[in-house]
Amino acid sequence: MSKNECIFCKIVIGKIPCKKIYEDDSVIAFLDIRPVSDGHTLVVPKAHFERLHQCPPEVLGSIGACVAKIAQAVVGAVGGGGYNVLCNNGRVAGQLVDHVHFHIIPRNEGDEVFTRWPAYEYEQGRADELAVKISENL
Ligand code: 5GP
Ligand code: ZN
């Protein structure tokens, strides 16, 4: 998706309206148009990067600080018992808008927002193999 066609770039420049919560020189935050819980918020860098690993450190730094601050405000406002921070990267991971963003999703007891987390155990040796392979890829 090019920058010109990007929904979030259009929100950044005010071409598409949003329910804005916060804005500074590098970050904007607004309510998700299709929330999974009341107060579901998106925190978005103003510069267009498709995936998290493509963002330079200064962008990651400012967005990280904003996520923490906005999460506190969101959860304080809606009275949630907790929250999830989610950053989908790639279509297989559920990313639909190719402009990196963090979801802040307020959670309440029994809300069933995420009901299934398909955890399993590694077979013998697999965790060692993966830890080495990943660290060598840094
Ligand atoms: P993703 O699946 O890419 O992690 O999440 C994209 C999110 O953007 C979705 O939760 C979707 O509801 C939200 N979204 C898509 N288009 C718009 C829009 O035009 N305005 C707002 N506020 N949210 C949007
Ligand atoms: Zn964009």
Side-chain angles (χ1 to χ4, degrees), residues 7-8 30-34 42 88 94-97 101 103:
I7 293 167
F8 288 175
F30 49 86
L31 292 180
D32 195 297
I33 205 166
R34 295 191 66 232
L42 300 174
N88 299 324
Q95 184 179 15
L96 297 175
V97 177
H101 53 279
H103 297 256

Side-chain angles (χ1 to χ4, degrees), residues 121-137:
E121 289 181 11
Y122 283 122
E123 284 176 16
Q124 186 72 30
R126 179 67 173 150
D128 289 332
E129 183 191 323
L130 283 172
V132 170
K133 201 169 175 186
I134 294 166
S135 57
E136 284 176 354
N137 205 36

Side-chain angles (χ1 to χ4, degrees), residues 62-128:
S62 49
I63 202 164
C66 281
V67 166
K69 177 168 138 179
I70 293 163
Q72 188 179 27
V74 168
V75 173
V78 300
Y83 60 92
N84 293 106
V85 174
L86 186 65
C87 179
N88 299 324
N89 285 270
R91 218 53 90 229
V92 291
Q95 184 179 15
L96 297 175
V97 177
D98 286 330
H99 181 136
V100 72
H101 53 279
F102 285 79
H103 297 256
I104 297 171
I105 303 172
R107 299 297 306 277
N108 288 290
E109 200 65 46
D111 62 14
E112 298 192 347
V113 168
F114 301 111
T115 52
R116 189 173 152 268
W117 184 272
Y120 59 90
E121 289 181 11
Y122 283 122
E123 284 176 16
Q124 186 72 30
R126 179 67 173 150
D128 289 332

